[in-house]
Amino acid sequence: MDHMDHIRNKLALLPDLPGCYLMKNKEGTIIYVGKAKVLKNRVRSYFTGSHNGKTQRLVLDITDFEYIVTSSNMEALILECNLIKKHMPRYNVQLKDDKTFPYLKITNETHPRLEVTRRVIKDKAKYFGPYPNAYAAQQTKKLLDRMYPLRKCGVMPKEVCLYYHMGQCLAPCEKEVQKSQYEEITQSIAAFLGGGHEAVKKDLQQKMQEAAEELYFERAKELRDQIMYIEALMEKQNINTADTKDRDVFGYAVDKGWMCVQILYMRQGKMIQRHSSAFPFYGEAYSDFMSYVTQYYSDNPALPQEILLPDAVREATAEDQPVKASSTPAAAGEADGAEEEPETAQEAAQREAAAAEAAAAGVVDAAGGAAAIQEWLGVKVLVPQRGLKKQMVRMACENGRVSLDEKFRLIERDEERTSGAAFSLGQSLGLESLHRIEAFDNSNIQGTNPVSAMVVFIDGKPARKEYRKYKVRTVQGPDDYETMREVIRRRYERVLKENLPMPDLIVVDGGKGQISAAVDILENELGLFIPVCGLVKDVKHKTAQLLVGDPPEPVGLARDSQEFYLLQRIQDEVHRFAITFHREQRGKSMVTSKLDSIPGIGEKRRKLLLKHFGSLKKIKEASIEDFRPLSIGEKLAGQILEALRDEEPVLQEDGAEHS
């Protein structure tokens, strides 16, 4: 019985209940986790009907599945989140918990501090955020450090520091600070971060005026600077609502197998930041979107008062015109439910059809998903159908659509530029076609561990699967020309023997000598007439000139041209690849020589030691007891450790190393 017969038998036994399903590949590895309102309908939908390219790829990898029944949609939502975290399936949308987002934290200490953290734990501290990027969090902390005198130092000093003299610390290292003072500061920071910056700004303006009237001009200037910081930090807002609720507004868009999720952060009724995430998805679009939302709020203590979600299908595929945010009183009234536009019959029919389609497939619908998240988080979760809240969600979706469109346009533009650069370079060299370029570079240090490397560029883009490494066999010492001859010979003998694709151009790292060596082997030994060019570097080790012909002559290319940029990329890439390979070989030879120099260690024991410990560093750090599983006695173990530690590099004053 093949795996499809096995799957069909299991599909017939699926229950009409909510739950999670786990798709497995032929190795038994879990490759996708999903949730369903009706397991039977949802799981069956993978094996019936047609799918887009990405979902089809997932289905082709499935050879078995299992499922877990839950008592509600909410349980299925949470279980899916936990299963994704545990198994990290390759086809699932995966958010790296809260590590992606920085938070501001007021520590739960006797003398609290304000800090930026990406690690959210249950430590009774107060967390604010998340912030879309570290810069926004650091700038906010910088402002608050100026305004509120919380402790700045990690370890309490023995005497007051500069922060105390600047009025930015209460000096708990020398003075007794009442708990009530800290509570007042903490409440002020919480009010500010909760969106009450207008009240703080008014208070600072009043204090600045008082300081100026009393002729304390330096203090007035400090207060004025703080007001300016607040205005600069909080001016990034482009939509207002009449209420002062903190909201997270979600939207998403899908195209070409990719999804872009946008989050608009609204604090105190004002939009202050936006976060964007784009990633490939393989399952049903709305289910994967809800999976993202669930993971986003997993272990997140800094919850808003309200979460707005888009409707399933319609929001992601609607071809609406961008909706401009409005801050007029009428628009603000819509946010509270007043003067909202009634839903048209067509909109109602579309929504019901989308819901019916989702229900038929067993997908958790928008209303059900919102209700499950609301029950789980304990905050209000809405799927608005009209009014300003609907506009806000549509704005988030439109941002997602624009981001995806921009992404694909940039990819297309990059492809056009790279293929165009290859075509133009071919014209400059007088070649009819420049589809395939193979480039070579040699690497050694004073002749030790000589290696060479080849990289391949097709239509101006690296083809990394075709890169090759070469250990130089016949050349002794630092002879770059002979190394080039050996490697060219080995490469193109194999190309002829195995009928591999011929390059349109061979690029060597070097000047006339390297070009002549390559041409000699190709034409006089192998009978191949492939154009060869050389890339010469300047004193700063940057690509300076392209040489071609016999005898080689420089080709005039503008240094700011796409053709010259392509050559730079090729030279940098082959040099990087060769250097990396050389370091690997040099590291291995150093390990081998150090172990071989120890009496009592032969090839067999050397391999055994490296296999057991993993590296020379770990052998050095081992204790004598760690050698017993290898049947190495105390005496030999001591000799090994003594010999390796005696060879520790000693740093000179100028930074050079001697062994």
Side-chain angles (χ1 to χ4, degrees), residues 536-568:
V536 181
K537 295 177 181 175
D538 58 20
V539 291
K540 295 182 179 178
H541 216 62
K542 299 290 184 183
T543 305
Q545 202 172 46
L546 172 68
L547 298 178
V548 69
D550 187 18
E553 297 291 337
V555 178
L557 291 176
R559 293 185 72 100
D560 60 350
S561 66
Q562 287 299 314
E563 301 95 298
F564 195 84
Y565 174 65
L566 174 60
L567 291 171
Q568 280 183 319

Side-chain angles (χ1 to χ4, degrees), residues 104-108 112-114 125-128 150 186 189-190:
L104 280 174
K105 171 183 178 181
I106 301 176
T107 60
N108 180 37
R113 290 176 298 133
L114 182 68
K126 288 183 172 63
Y127 291 89
F128 303 91
L150 286 182
T186 301
I189 292 174

Side-chain angles (χ1 to χ4, degrees), residues 114-171:
L114 182 68
E115 58 184 36
V116 176
T117 181
R118 292 179 186 269
R119 191 163 168 258
V120 179
I121 55 177
K122 294 179 180 178
D123 56 357
K124 297 184 179 179
K126 288 183 172 63
Y127 291 89
F128 303 91
Y131 288 82
N133 55 66
Y135 178 76
Q138 292 289 355
Q139 287 297 102
T140 306
K141 179 183 180 296
K142 186 178 177 182
L143 169 62
L144 294 171
D145 280 342
R146 289 169 173 264
M147 293 170 58
Y148 300 105
L150 286 182
R151 177 165 66 98
K152 306 293 186 294
C153 48
V155 179
M156 198 80 76
K158 294 180 181 178
E159 57 185 25
V160 294
C161 61
L162 183 62
Y163 286 115
Y164 170 73
H165 297 292
M166 293 168 63
Q168 295 181 22
C169 182
L170 297 174

Side-chain angles (χ1 to χ4, degrees), residues 80-137:
E80 181 199 36
C81 181
N82 293 335
L83 290 172
I84 290 172
K85 283 184 181 180
K86 180 180 178 182
H87 299 290
M88 298 184 71
R90 60 173 295 198
Y91 288 109
N92 272 99
V93 170
Q94 291 182 32
L95 182 69
K96 305 290 186 182
D97 299 329
D98 52 274
K99 293 171 188 167
T100 308
F101 305 101
Y103 292 79
L104 280 174
K105 171 183 178 181
I106 301 176
T107 60
N108 180 37
E109 299 174 276
T110 306
H111 304 291
R113 290 176 298 133
L114 182 68
E115 58 184 36
V116 176
T117 181
R118 292 179 186 269
R119 191 163 168 258
V120 179
I121 55 177
K122 294 179 180 178
D123 56 357
K124 297 184 179 179
K126 288 183 172 63
Y127 291 89
F128 303 91
Y131 288 82
N133 55 66
Y135 178 76

Side-chain angles (χ1 to χ4, degrees), residues 54-336:
K54 284 185 174 285
T55 305
Q56 187 62 37
R57 193 190 310 172
L58 162 63
V59 173
L60 288 172
D61 278 356
I62 299 170
T63 58
D64 194 8
F65 69 86
E66 61 181 85
Y67 59 88
I68 302 169
V69 173
T70 60
S71 60
S72 67
N73 287 343
M74 185 196 74
E75 284 187 11
L77 206 66
I78 298 168
L79 177 60
E80 181 199 36
C81 181
N82 293 335
L83 290 172
I84 290 172
K85 283 184 181 180
K86 180 180 178 182
H87 299 290
M88 298 184 71
R90 60 173 295 198
Y91 288 109
N92 272 99
V93 170
Q94 291 182 32
L95 182 69
K96 305 290 186 182
D97 299 329
D98 52 274
K99 293 171 188 167
T100 308
F101 305 101
Y103 292 79
L104 280 174
K105 171 183 178 181
I106 301 176
T107 60
N108 180 37
E109 299 174 276
T110 306
H111 304 291
R113 290 176 298 133
L114 182 68
E115 58 184 36
V116 176
T117 181
R118 292 179 186 269
R119 191 163 168 258
V120 179
I121 55 177
K122 294 179 180 178
D123 56 357
K124 297 184 179 179
K126 288 183 172 63
Y127 291 89
F128 303 91
Y131 288 82
N133 55 66
Y135 178 76
Q138 292 289 355
Q139 287 297 102
T140 306
K141 179 183 180 296
K142 186 178 177 182
L143 169 62
L144 294 171
D145 280 342
R146 289 169 173 264
M147 293 170 58
Y148 300 105
L150 286 182
R151 177 165 66 98
K152 306 293 186 294
C153 48
V155 179
M156 198 80 76
K158 294 180 181 178
E159 57 185 25
V160 294
C161 61
L162 183 62
Y163 286 115
Y164 170 73
H165 297 292
M166 293 168 63
Q168 295 181 22
C169 182
L170 297 174
C173 52
E174 281 200 358
K175 301 181 179 183
E176 186 178 348
V177 182
Q178 298 297 323
K179 188 178 179 180
S180 58
Q181 285 182 267
Y182 284 131
E183 287 177 353
E184 186 180 341
I185 292 171
T186 301
Q187 287 171 6
S188 297
I189 292 174
F192 182 91
L193 294 175
H197 47 272
E198 286 295 336
V200 174
K201 194 168 83 170
K202 285 181 182 177
D203 183 49
L204 290 175
Q205 286 171 337
Q206 184 179 342
K207 288 179 179 177
M208 178 184 71
Q209 199 167 359
E210 290 173 358
E213 288 172 357
E214 294 175 13
L215 305 182
Y216 294 135
F217 296 118
E218 287 188 10
R219 176 61 178 158
K221 182 179 178 297
E222 288 176 9
L223 292 165
R224 185 202 64 187
D225 291 344
Q226 288 181 7
I227 293 166
M228 289 171 65
Y229 272 114
I230 293 173
E231 289 174 344
L233 195 67
M234 296 301 171
E235 71 177 353
K236 298 174 184 176
Q237 51 183 273
N238 52 11
I239 188 169
N240 294 342
T241 58
D243 60 23
T244 56
K245 281 187 178 179
D246 294 350
R247 292 185 178 91
D248 288 351
V249 182
F250 283 83
Y252 77 103
V254 292
D255 192 13
K256 299 181 179 68
W258 279 73
M259 177 181 292
C260 180
V261 177
Q262 298 275 329
I263 311 170
L264 307 181
Y265 299 102
M266 301 198 68
R267 298 298 180 259
Q268 290 287 295
K270 297 179 181 179
M271 196 185 91
I272 59 171
Q273 286 285 2
R274 175 179 72 97
H275 177 74
S276 177
S277 296
F279 42 81
F281 75 102
Y282 298 87
E284 194 275 329
Y286 198 74
S287 288
D288 279 7
F289 165 70
M290 292 298 287
S291 174
Y292 178 98
V293 175
T294 308
Q295 291 180 66
Y296 176 82
Y297 286 115
S298 175
D299 303 323
N300 180 355
L303 295 172
Q305 296 166 282
E306 191 172 273
I307 298 168
L308 303 184
L309 300 178
D311 209 342
V313 183
R314 275 175 53 205
E315 292 290 355
T317 59
E319 297 180 356
D320 300 324
Q321 293 298 315
V323 178
K324 294 183 179 180
S326 172
S327 58
T328 62
E334 288 176 7
D336 294 323

Side-chain angles (χ1 to χ4, degrees), residues 6-42:
H6 177 65
I7 285 174
R8 288 189 198 100
N9 291 337
K10 292 183 76 170
L11 288 173
L13 303 175
L14 283 165
D16 293 317
L17 295 169
C20 289
Y21 52 91
L22 301 89
M23 302 299 194
K24 298 181 178 181
N25 63 9
K26 60 184 178 183
E27 285 84 28
T29 304
I30 294 169
I31 58 174
Y32 187 76
V33 173
K35 61 185 172 301
K37 196 174 182 180
V38 182
L39 279 168
K40 181 169 71 175
N41 295 348
R42 182 69 187 121

